[in-house]
Amino acid sequence: MSAQALLGRNLQAGEFQLELNRLKTHAFILGMTGSGKTALAIDLIEQLIEAGTSCLIVDPKGDLTNLAFAIGSETSRAFVDPLELDGWLEALRDEGVDEARLAAYRSKLDIEIFTQGDASGHHLGLWSLSASDYAALEAADRVAYAENRAAALLELLGDSNDGRTPSLLLLSELLRSKLESSEPFKIEQLVAEILDPPFDQIGVMPLEDFCPRSVRQDLAIRLNSELASSTYALRFEGEPISVADLLKPCAPEKTAVRIISLQGLDDASRNFFLASFLNELLSYVRRSPGSDELRSVFYMDEIFGYFPPVANPPAKRAMLALLKQARASGFGLVLATQNPGDIDYKGLANIGNFFIGRLNTPRDREKILGLLPSRYDAEGNDIDNQIAGLERRHFLYLGLGAEIESTVFRARRPYSYLAGPLSLEQLERLSRSLQPIQSAPPVEQQPAAVSQPQAPPQIEPVPVAASMNSAKAEPAPVEKTAAASLAPNLPYPVYYDHRHMASESYRLCFLVALNLHYKLGRSQEEATKERLLAYEIQDGPQLIDLRAELADPPQADDLASTPLPQMGYARLSEPVMQKTVLKKLESQVIDHVYREAQLEVFYNRELKLYAREGESREAFEERCRVLAADEMETKRARIEDRAKSRVDRAEERLRVAEQRVEREKERLNQSKLRSGVNAGTAILNMVLGAGQSSGHISRVSNAIKSATHSKERSAQLQLAEETFETRQQELEALEIQAREESAEIDAKIDEIAAAIETKALTVLKKDIVVSYSAMYWRA
C-alpha cells in the first residue's frame, strides 16, 4: 500500500486519511470563495512532500506560494509577523503536530518559485524546444507536440481558432522540420521562414494554394511585432523548460516543489505559457516509463478559463491528453476551481477523486450530481444532502469506483502559514530569497552511455581513457610469483573494493558497465538494459573466464582510490601490463553478452505496442487501455450518434402514439356520454307512455347507434393502446441495444488492453555500449 495522506478528521472525530496512490486517477477540488479550498490544497501538497512525491504547481493568483512559509523556517520568520507565527504554531500543537514533525517536514522541503513576467525575477523560458526529447516521442505524439506548440503561439498572436487552420499547419510543419533536423533553433528564425518556408507544399497541396503569401506575411508581421515588444524577454527567455530537471530535488533526501506564479502575466501571455508548459509536461509523460506507484503530481489552482467546457484552446488539448495518459506513468493531476462548470465534462470523466466544499447554489450541486454514476454513496447516503450541509473548512470526499465512497471531513491546519496572495513585489523578494537554497550540488547521476570507456563516476582519479593516453612510463616485467608487497605499476587507474575482505592480498579484477539498447519493433522507442559485470584476472593469456562472473560486483561508489596499508598484491602476467588491455577485455565481454543477451518485454499484439523500460504488466495494460479507448472513441461516437437518432425517432413515434391514446380516450368518453343520454331518454319516454310515435322510434334508434359507436371507439382505443405499447417496446429495445453496443465497445477495449504477450528481444552488437570500465583490486 502506498503512503497515506492525513487530510483532517471525519465527523466521528477519527482521522481521515487518503491513500496517495489514488491520485494516479487525478483529483478535483471544488469550493466557493472562503470554503477553505486553498488550505486543503496546501494540506494535500504538504502530505505529498512528506511522502517524497515531487510536485509541479501552476499558481495564477499567488496563494500557493504560502508553501514557502513552513512554520519554523527562516523564510516564514523573514516574511511573517512573529506573533502570527506563534499563534499558528499553538494551533498546530492543539491538533497534535509537534516541533519534531515540523522539523522533519522542513528537512524534506525543496521549494523553488518561478515568477513569470517579472524581469528581475526567476522565470522559465517558454520557447525551449528539445530535439532529443522530440526524437524520443512516438510518431503520432511528435505531430501533436508540434501542433500544440504552434497553436500556443497562434493563441498569443490572437488566433483563437479551434480548427486546424493553414496558419497552424504551416507553423507546425516549420517546427517539425527544425526539430527533426536537430539544428539549433531560435524563435526569431520563424519570421523569415514563415515568409519563405523550406518546403513547397503542405500535404498534397502546393504551398501557395494552401497558405498564400498574403496570409504568411500577415502572420510574420504579427510575430515580428510580438518579438519587438518590450515583454518579449519575459515571455520567451529564461531557464529552458525541462520537466525532468524541475522534478529533481537538490539532494536525495528532499522533495522537489516547483511553483510557477503567473501573477506577472496578462491573460494572453498566461494562456500562451500554460499551453506551452503543459505541452512539455505531456511530452515528458509520454516519454516516461510506466509505473504502478504515484511518482509526481501536477497541481493547478483556479482552472477557470483554461479548461472550458465549450471552447478548445491549446491548453485544454494538452490537459485533456494528460488526464487520459498521465496515470499510466504514475503522474497525477489535481485541479481546483470555484465552479463545477469551469471544467470540460470530458476532463471530469477522467477524474476519480472529488473534494467538494461549500457551493454557491443548488444548481452547482446539480452539476456535480450530473457527473456521478449515482446520487447515493455505497452506504445509501444522499450526496446532495451531504454537500448542502457543508460548513467552512468541511469537505466531502468522493472516491469514484464500482461504488461511490464518501467521507465528510474537516481539513487540518497546514504546516505552512497562510498569508494569502502575495503582491508582485513580495513574490519577487520571496523568489530571490529561496534561490540560494537551490545552489546545493545536484544529485549525482550515473554517466551517460558513451562509446569510449571512462572511469566510474564519483571516483577521484581522472577518466580511464585520459589516464591511458597520458601514461608515459612502460611497466617493467613482473615475475609470476604468489604475491608481492608492492602494488604493480600499471598504465591505467586502478581502484580498490574493500567491501569483502577475505584475505590479506589483493587480486586484480575487471569491471565493466554496459547499456544494452533493444529496438522495440519498428517504432522509434527502445528499451535499455543495464549490465554490471566483473571478472577476476587469471594468470595466462586468457585473462578472464567469461563463464565465471563475480557475484555482487561493486557499484561505482563502492570503489576507493587508495589501498589499505600492509596489503599484498597478486603477481600479474604480461598481458595485464599493456595499455590496451581494457579495450580488449571490453570487446571480449561484448562478444559474450551479444551471444546470450535477451530481453523479455511485454507486447500488445492488437496495438502493436511494446512496454516501456521498467513498465509493469499492470501499468502497460493501463496504458494500452487508454490508447485503445482513444482508438475506439470515434467508433463509440458514431454508434452513439446513430443510437441517438434512432431513439429520437422512436420517442417521437411514442409521443404520437400517446397522443392518439389520449384522443381515443376522450372520444370514447364522449361517445359513452351520448349513448347514455339517448338510452335514458328513450327509456323515460316509454315509462311516461309516449307510445310508438315516430319520434320515440328515432330516439331508440339513436340510442342503439350511440352504443354501436361506443363499441367502435373502444376498439379504436384498444388499437391505439396496443400501438403505444408497441412503440414503448421499440424504444426500450433501442435503449437496450445502445447499452449493449456501448458494452461491446467497453469489452473490446478490455480485450485490446488484455492482448498482452511476452516477447524475447535480441540486441545488436552495435547497440551494446560501454558506459565505463575499470580495473580494481579486491581482497
Side-chain angles (χ1 to χ4, degrees):
M1 180 180 291
S2 70
Q4 300 284 323
L6 175 59
L7 297 180
R9 293 189 170 275
N10 58 34
L11 296 184
Q12 290 74 42
E15 291 184 345
F16 171 63
Q17 295 191 342
L18 179 73
E19 185 182 354
L20 285 178
N21 220 33
R22 289 193 177 192
L23 295 182
K24 277 184 61 183
T25 59
H26 317 307
F28 185 42
I29 301 177
L30 177 67
M32 61 184 283
T33 301
S35 62
K37 173 168 51 69
T38 300
L40 175 63
I42 290 180
D43 283 342
L44 183 57
I45 293 167
E46 288 173 345
Q47 297 293 292
L48 289 165
I49 293 167
E50 283 191 314
T53 304
S54 52
C55 299
L56 290 177
I57 300 169
V58 170
D59 187 11
K61 289 173 54 180
D63 284 319
L64 273 297
T65 51
N66 290 173
L67 279 161
F69 302 144
I71 298 299
S73 66
E74 292 183 9
T75 310
S76 67
R77 290 193 290 268
F79 282 82
V80 183
D81 186 320
L83 293 178
E84 295 286 340
L85 294 177
D86 289 344
W88 199 273
L89 178 58
E90 192 60 35
L92 283 172
R93 287 172 180 157
D94 292 341
E95 292 189 5
V97 178
D98 57 19
E99 282 82 350
R101 182 159 191 173
L102 290 173
Y105 169 75
R106 292 194 301 270
S107 70
K108 297 279 290 185
L109 182 61
D110 171 23
I111 187 169
E112 187 173 6
I113 297 176
F114 298 89
T115 53
Q116 300 304 125
D118 179 7
S120 60
H122 181 44
H123 53 274
L124 296 169
L126 298 187
W127 203 252
S128 58
L129 296 176
S130 169
S132 60
D133 290 349
Y134 177 83
L137 295 172
E138 296 177 5
D141 294 335
R142 293 182 189 180
V143 174
Y145 178 88
E147 282 197 7
N148 284 347
R149 291 307 299 258
L153 183 57
L154 286 174
E155 181 95 357
L156 182 64
L157 300 180
D159 286 8
S160 300
N161 194 318
D162 293 346
R164 302 179 78 210
T165 62
S167 296
L168 173 64
L169 295 178
L170 170 68
L171 276 180
S172 61
E173 282 296 315
L174 287 173
L175 296 181
R176 288 175 62 193
S177 66
K178 286 296 181 185
L179 287 167
E180 288 173 359
S181 69
S182 301
E183 297 175 359
F185 173 63
K186 292 186 177 181
I187 188 174
E188 291 87 341
Q189 296 174 256
L190 274 182
V191 176
E193 295 208 352
I194 287 172
L195 291 171
D196 295 303
F199 41 79
D200 297 325
Q201 65 182 45
I202 296 179
V204 297
M205 292 182 64
L207 175 65
E208 288 301 322
D209 293 342
F210 184 80
C211 190
R213 185 172 182 82
S214 59
V215 174
R216 304 201 306 273
Q217 186 167 9
D218 173 68
L219 181 59
I221 290 172
R222 283 187 286 140
L223 177 56
N224 187 67
S225 299
E226 184 64 39
L227 298 179
S229 71
S230 59
T231 59
Y232 163 74
L234 303 183
R235 288 169 171 161
F236 294 96
E237 296 180 353
E239 294 184 20
I241 297 176
S242 169
V243 175
D245 289 343
L246 289 173
L247 293 172
K248 187 187 302 178
C250 66
E253 68 276 5
K254 290 186 173 290
T255 305
V257 182
R258 307 295 179 242
I259 303 175
I260 304 165
S261 171
L262 305 185
Q263 281 179 271
L265 297 177
D266 57 30
D267 288 343
S269 299
R270 287 186 182 193
N271 283 313
F272 172 59
F273 172 82
L274 187 62
S276 302
F277 183 78
L278 290 179
N279 199 41
E280 294 300 320
L281 184 56
L282 179 60
S283 171
Y284 169 80
V285 164
R286 284 170 168 164
R287 299 192 311 271
S288 298
S291 175
D292 296 327
E293 299 296 324
L294 181 70
R295 296 167 53 230
S296 305
V297 165
F298 170 79
Y299 173 82
M300 182 167 178
D301 199 24
E302 300 300 341
I303 198 72
F304 171 71
Y306 301 105
F307 199 13
V310 179
N312 194 30
K316 176 180 173 179
R317 301 172 195 170
M319 186 78 80
L320 190 56
L322 280 167
L323 287 169
K324 290 181 177 180
Q325 299 180 23
R327 69 183 64 182
S329 301
F331 205 101
L333 277 71
V334 181
L335 308 177
T337 191
Q338 298 181 27
N339 191 314
D342 292 345
I343 185 170
D344 187 277
Y345 73 94
K346 291 180 182 177
L348 289 173
N350 285 280
I351 294 176
N353 303 278
F354 287 68
F355 296 92
I356 304 170
R358 294 171 64 191
L359 298 178
N360 284 310
T361 65
R363 184 180 177 187
D364 288 342
R365 300 201 303 270
E366 286 298 326
K367 288 180 182 177
I368 286 293
L369 294 171
L371 300 169
L372 304 178
S374 171
R375 293 177 65 100
Y376 301 93
D377 65 12
E379 304 297 326
N381 299 311
D382 190 326
I383 294 172
D384 186 34
N385 291 339
Q386 290 178 295
I387 299 175
L390 293 173
E391 302 175 5
R392 185 177 180 277
R393 291 188 62 193
H394 283 71
F395 289 84
L396 172 65
Y397 168 74
L398 298 177
L400 305 189
E403 293 183 313
I404 299 176
E405 175 188 344
S406 75
T407 303
V408 176
F409 68 97
R410 186 178 190 274
R412 68 169 182 82
R413 180 176 292 265
Y415 304 149
S416 310
Y417 179 78
L418 301 187
L422 303 184
S423 67
L424 288 176
E425 181 183 357
Q426 290 172 319
L427 191 58
E428 179 188 327
R429 268 200 311 129
L430 176 60
S431 177
R432 285 202 304 268
S433 72
L434 292 170
Q435 285 185 55
I437 299 175
Q438 307 309 316
S439 62
V443 180
E444 292 287 350
Q445 299 294 314
Q446 289 291 333
V450 293
S451 59
Q452 295 298 321
Q454 59 184 23
Q458 302 179 359
I459 299 177
E460 189 62 29
V462 294
V464 171
S467 296
M468 288 168 61
N469 294 335
S470 61
K472 300 296 182 184
E474 290 292 333
V478 178
E479 295 182 27
K480 299 179 183 178
T481 57
S485 59
L486 297 177
N489 183 22
L490 298 175
Y492 41 77
V494 183
Y495 309 102
Y496 299 86
D497 180 11
H498 295 142
R499 297 173 303 148
H500 311 295
M501 302 298 292
S503 73
E504 295 180 356
S505 296
Y506 284 125
R507 299 184 305 280
L508 190 63
C509 301
F510 172 65
L511 176 71
V512 61
L514 302 176
N515 284 328
L516 285 66
H517 301 280
Y518 295 83
K519 301 298 182 184
L520 299 182
R522 297 180 180 178
S523 72
Q524 296 294 321
E525 285 196 74
E526 62 179 30
T528 301
K529 183 178 180 181
E530 296 179 355
R531 294 284 301 274
L532 185 63
L533 304 170
Y535 304 88
E536 186 170 327
I537 299 296
Q538 302 178 123
D539 188 11
Q542 191 69 27
L543 292 179
I544 58 175
D545 182 356
L546 293 168
R547 298 165 299 177
E549 296 176 18
L550 294 178
D552 191 22
Q555 299 291 330
D557 52 7
D558 291 329
L559 298 177
S561 57
T562 56
L564 296 176
Q566 308 303 321
M567 290 291 291
Y569 294 85
R571 295 290 185 178
L572 303 177
S573 59
E574 180 62 29
V576 182
M577 314 305 294
Q578 300 172 6
K579 293 180 181 179
T580 57
V581 66
L582 285 169
K583 203 69 178 175
K584 291 178 180 178
L585 293 178
E586 286 174 12
S587 297
Q588 291 180 33
V589 174
I590 288 175
D591 288 342
H592 172 68
V593 169
Y594 163 69
R595 289 191 295 271
E596 56 88 25
Q598 283 192 335
L599 178 69
E600 290 193 346
V601 296
F602 297 119
Y603 175 74
N604 187 297
R605 60 180 179 275
E606 292 284 344
L607 296 173
K608 295 180 173 57
L609 183 70
Y610 286 90
R612 292 169 177 161
E613 182 182 355
E615 193 170 24
S616 69
R617 183 187 179 98
E618 292 74 16
F620 179 51
E621 186 171 338
E622 177 64 24
R623 184 158 67 93
C624 291
R625 182 171 284 102
V626 170
L627 294 175
D630 287 345
E631 285 192 3
M632 300 297 288
E633 189 171 341
T634 303
K635 184 175 181 180
R636 186 192 296 275
R638 286 200 304 267
I639 289 175
E640 288 177 350
D641 288 345
R642 188 168 64 248
K644 185 177 183 303
S645 177
R646 292 198 302 258
V647 169
D648 287 345
R649 290 196 299 270
E651 286 179 341
E652 178 61 22
R653 291 194 297 268
L654 180 63
R655 186 180 63 80
V656 171
E658 186 177 17
Q659 291 175 346
R660 182 182 174 190
V661 169
E662 294 301 321
R663 286 198 303 270
E664 293 300 334
K665 283 182 179 179
E666 181 65 25
R667 289 172 179 171
L668 177 60
N669 289 337
Q670 292 176 357
S671 178
K672 286 181 177 179
L673 180 61
R674 287 196 299 270
S675 176
V677 170
N678 290 336
T681 302
I683 293 170
L684 182 61
N685 287 336
M686 289 176 61
V687 171
L688 296 177
Q692 300 295 322
S693 66
S694 59
H696 173 68
I697 293 172
S698 176
R699 283 189 288 271
V700 172
S701 175
N702 287 339
I704 294 171
K705 288 179 180 179
S706 295
T708 304
H709 191 262
S710 294
K711 290 182 180 179
E712 292 174 354
R713 285 298 175 196
S714 295
Q716 290 293 328
L717 174 59
Q718 183 178 356
L719 180 60
E721 288 175 337
E722 290 174 354
T723 302
F724 176 75
E725 185 176 349
T726 300
R727 297 293 184 237
Q728 268 189 322
Q729 293 172 352
E730 289 175 355
L731 179 59
E732 290 172 358
L734 286 173
E735 291 173 341
I736 292 171
Q737 181 183 353
R739 288 195 295 271
E740 289 176 346
E741 289 176 344
S742 180
E744 286 177 4
I745 291 181
D746 291 337
K748 182 61 177 177
I749 292 173
D750 291 338
E751 179 185 334
I752 293 174
I756 295 175
E757 58 192 43
T758 301
K759 277 198 171 186
L761 302 180
T762 56
V763 65
L764 300 177
K765 188 179 292 187
K766 68 181 181 65
D767 292 327
I768 302 177
V769 180
V770 176
S771 180
Y772 62 85
S773 64
M775 290 289 195
Y776 71 97
W777 295 100
R778 74 167 188 153

